[in-house]
């Protein structure tokens, strides 16, 4: 008998449209002999199941939905929500209380990896290379003295990014003190916490990792070559980049970044399909961030990495569901 799968998509952030694309990919790729997928849109103003192009409101008290043929309960949720509440631990905590398994990281790991500053703080004692960074709260005094301190510690160019956001929303690359105010305003529009990071020059790569058939599986490395100044929203989703799989790295570089990816996945006790980003600065992989619910839209990296590994998207997603229900 097939399992009822709620494919969660949408979310409360500016990433909700990308999440809808990811969720649609999952809906189309799941093995319908094993699973009966239902599209569940988790939005700010409503939680609805889309069935035959109609909206049916979810019963949030038990996470079920009444459809024309009867009430549907779910055996598992496939979580494709980028940003809050699907990537920051909120939906994971809710589903934990409901007793419904879901495919992404547990609520603590999701909250941790969604917070860039906290992830850096946890990984730094392991000796993992990373950029220099400074943390700023909304309301902090940002004056000439602050800009001078940043210039001395971080140097220019540098990145100003929301601490808790994805898909490159709110990120700026700045080259001098004049860029701070507009960059901070842009970042604070996404989050009230901002991270200022030193610029790392070098090859940018992204590495998919998951639990596949019960074991940690590191996927082939993807090299990212952006047509823009960095891997921004246009580069990610509007074709303004080359994403080369496998990456043009030496065997030693490939092995080192894949080994580091697997180690981070296990040290942080991550689950499901994740993607970890690095920059090869001075020949060594420097950690950038963890994406605990990476994009699965047609332009996304994970489907291409799975294909390069000889794993169909249907098998990859099915393994994630079986692991969640394990």
């Amino acid at each position: 008998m097939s399992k009822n799968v709620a494919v969660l998509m949408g979310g409360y952030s500016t990433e909700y449209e990308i999440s809808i694309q990811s969720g649609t990919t999952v809906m189309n790729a799941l093995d319908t002999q094993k699973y009966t997928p239902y599209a569940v849109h988790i939005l700010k103003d409503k939680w609805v199941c889309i069935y035959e192009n109609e909206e049916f409101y979810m019963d949030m008290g038990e996470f079920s939905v009444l459809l024309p043929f009867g009430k549907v309960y779910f055996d598992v949720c496939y979580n494709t929500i980028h940003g809050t509440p699907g990537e920051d631990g909120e939906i994971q905590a809710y589903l934990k209380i409901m007793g419904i398994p879901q495919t992404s990281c547990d609520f603590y790991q999701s909250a941790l990896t969604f917070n860039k500053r906290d992830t850096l703080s946890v990984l730094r004692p392991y000796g993992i290379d990373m950029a220099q960074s400074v943390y700023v709260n909304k309301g902090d005094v940002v004056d000439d003295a602050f800009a001078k301190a940043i210039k001395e510690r971080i140097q220019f160019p540098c990145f100003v990014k929301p601490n808790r956001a994805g898909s490159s929303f709110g990120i700026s690359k700045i080259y001098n003190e004049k860029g701070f105010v507009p960059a901070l305003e842009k970042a604070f529009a996404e989050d009230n916490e901002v991270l200022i990071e030193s610029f790392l020059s070098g090859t940018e790569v992204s590495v998919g990792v998951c639990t596949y058939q019960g074991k940690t599986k590191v996927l082939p490395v993807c090299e990212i070559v952006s047509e823009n100044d960095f891997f921004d929203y246009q580069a990610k989703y509007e074709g303004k980049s080359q994403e080369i799989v496998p990456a043009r790295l030496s065997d030693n570089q490939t092995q080192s970044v894949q080994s580091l990816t697997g180690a981070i996945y296990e040290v942080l006790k991550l689950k499901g399909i994740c993607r970890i980003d690095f920059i090869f600065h001075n020949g060594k992989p420097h950690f950038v961030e963890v994406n605990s619910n990476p994009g699965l839209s047609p332009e996304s990296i994970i489907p291409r990495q799975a294909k390069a590994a000889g794993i169909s998207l249907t098998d990859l997603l099915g393994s994630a569901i079986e692991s969640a229900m394990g």
Side-chain angles (χ1 to χ4, degrees), residues 8-309:
L8 310 182
M9 60 187 89
Y12 306 159
S13 75
T14 43
E15 296 182 83
Y16 81 94
E17 290 181 346
I18 300 159
S19 174
I20 298 292
Q21 294 176 30
S22 294
T24 301
T25 299
V26 174
M27 291 288 296
N28 293 334
L30 287 180
D31 183 347
T32 53
Q33 298 295 312
K34 295 180 181 179
Y35 312 111
T36 304
Y38 295 87
V40 177
H41 290 203
I42 306 293
L43 305 173
K44 280 182 181 179
D45 57 344
K46 59 188 176 183
W47 289 20
V48 293
C49 179
I50 309 298
Y51 181 75
E52 294 186 347
N53 296 319
E54 289 189 46
E55 292 184 353
F56 296 86
Y57 277 81
M58 298 292 297
D59 182 342
M60 295 167 64
E62 59 179 10
F63 200 73
S64 65
V65 64
L66 183 61
L67 297 180
F69 59 83
K71 183 172 277 194
V72 175
Y73 296 91
F74 299 101
D75 299 294
V76 62
C77 293
Y78 200 103
N79 182 5
T80 66
I81 299 172
H82 312 315
T84 185
E87 205 166 10
D88 60 0
E90 290 187 11
I91 205 81
Q92 291 86 342
Y94 164 78
L95 291 171
K96 183 78 171 177
I97 292 169
M98 293 292 106
I100 303 171
Q102 56 85 37
T103 53
S104 59
C105 298
D106 291 334
F107 63 89
Y108 171 74
Q109 282 76 17
S110 296
L112 171 67
T113 54
F114 194 64
N115 188 306
K116 296 179 179 68
R117 178 199 63 173
D118 290 356
T119 308
L120 295 171
S121 297
V122 169
L123 291 177
R124 191 171 282 112
Y126 289 90
I128 294 170
D129 292 310
M130 56 187 67
Q132 293 291 317
S133 58
V134 171
Y135 183 71
V136 187
N137 285 313
K138 197 168 190 175
D140 287 354
V141 175
V142 179
D143 53 15
D144 291 344
F146 175 86
K148 184 180 178 182
I150 293 295
K151 184 178 180 180
E152 290 174 357
R153 179 173 174 183
I154 302 294
Q155 300 182 338
F156 293 106
C158 65
F159 284 103
V160 178
K161 60 177 70 173
N163 188 43
R164 299 166 298 184
S167 295
S168 297
F169 284 113
I171 295 183
S172 301
K173 184 179 178 182
I174 63 172
Y175 293 84
N176 52 52
E177 293 95 326
K178 292 180 182 178
F180 267 123
V181 172
L184 287 169
E185 287 176 353
K186 183 178 179 181
F188 281 132
E190 298 292 333
D191 188 16
N192 58 15
E193 301 172 359
V194 165
L195 203 62
I196 302 171
E197 287 189 329
S198 60
F199 171 66
L200 299 175
S201 61
T203 302
E204 184 169 356
V205 300
S206 192
V207 191
V209 58
C210 59
T211 302
Y212 182 70
Q213 297 179 347
K215 296 181 180 178
T216 299
K217 174 74 174 178
V218 180
L219 299 175
V221 181
C222 175
E223 177 184 349
I224 297 162
V225 183
S226 176
E227 293 178 20
N228 295 348
D229 204 16
F230 62 96
F231 195 43
D232 60 5
Y233 181 91
Q234 278 191 323
K236 285 182 178 178
Y237 300 109
E238 296 178 4
K240 297 290 185 180
S241 68
Q242 284 182 282
E243 292 160 6
I244 301 163
V245 182
R248 298 169 297 182
L249 301 173
S250 69
D251 290 345
N252 284 343
Q253 287 177 320
T254 299
Q255 186 176 359
S256 69
V257 77
Q258 286 184 315
S259 176
L260 185 54
T261 299
I264 290 171
Y265 187 84
E266 292 178 354
V267 161
L268 295 180
K269 295 181 169 56
L270 305 181
K271 283 172 52 181
I273 301 169
C274 298
R275 209 187 71 228
I276 305 180
D277 298 340
F278 302 88
I279 293 175
F280 272 88
H281 181 64
N282 294 330
K284 296 173 66 177
H286 284 57
F287 171 81
V288 177
E289 65 179 358
V290 173
N291 300 276
S292 64
N293 274 1
L296 294 171
S297 67
E299 293 80 18
S300 298
I301 292 169
I302 289 290
R304 297 179 59 192
Q305 291 180 319
K307 184 178 180 181

